[in-house]
Amino acid sequence: MKKTSISIDMEAEKLRALRFYTEKKETTLETELEDFLAKLYEKYVPAQTREYIESMEEPAEPPRPRIKRQPRAPVDTPTAVSEEVV
């Protein structure tokens, strides 16, 4: 599904502190915001609408079928036969 960006304003010092402390918790502000937006989406968008939107998503590319190859039969290579001349 196509993504779009949103933009909000925040005081620079607060944003810097928020980024600093989210990194200390081994996460990012972007990850936290994405999680929060997903929760808001689930909270406010009715289930039927979510279902409809999800049905409109492009299906993932189907996995390629695996081709079972038959093991090759060993090829008998002729061995050099020496003939004696009598």
Side-chain angles (χ1 to χ4, degrees):
M1 190 175 290
K2 183 179 174 187
K3 291 191 175 192
T4 189
S5 297
I6 60 173
S7 163
I8 59 170
D9 294 328
M10 184 175 188
E11 294 176 22
E13 263 319 294
K14 289 181 179 180
L15 179 59
R16 193 175 2 250
L18 186 55
R19 286 190 187 277
F20 176 78
Y21 285 103
T22 53
E23 287 176 11
K24 282 189 129 188
K25 296 286 184 180
E26 296 182 0
T27 187
T28 64
L29 180 56
E30 289 77 9
T31 299
E32 292 295 315
L33 287 172
E34 286 172 359
D35 291 346
F36 185 70
L37 285 173
K39 289 176 186 172
L40 285 177
Y41 175 78
E42 296 248 339
K43 181 177 179 179
Y44 290 104
V45 178
Q48 290 177 332
T49 304
R50 292 193 314 258
E51 235 177 83
Y52 173 74
I53 291 171
E54 289 168 11
S55 74
M56 300 299 290
E57 290 179 357
E58 294 176 15
E61 194 172 300
R64 293 183 185 173
R66 292 187 178 218
I67 300 172
K68 285 190 173 182
R69 297 184 184 236
Q70 297 295 328
R72 291 186 178 181
V75 178
D76 290 332
T77 55
T79 55
V81 177
S82 61
E83 296 180 18
E84 282 187 36
V85 180
V86 187

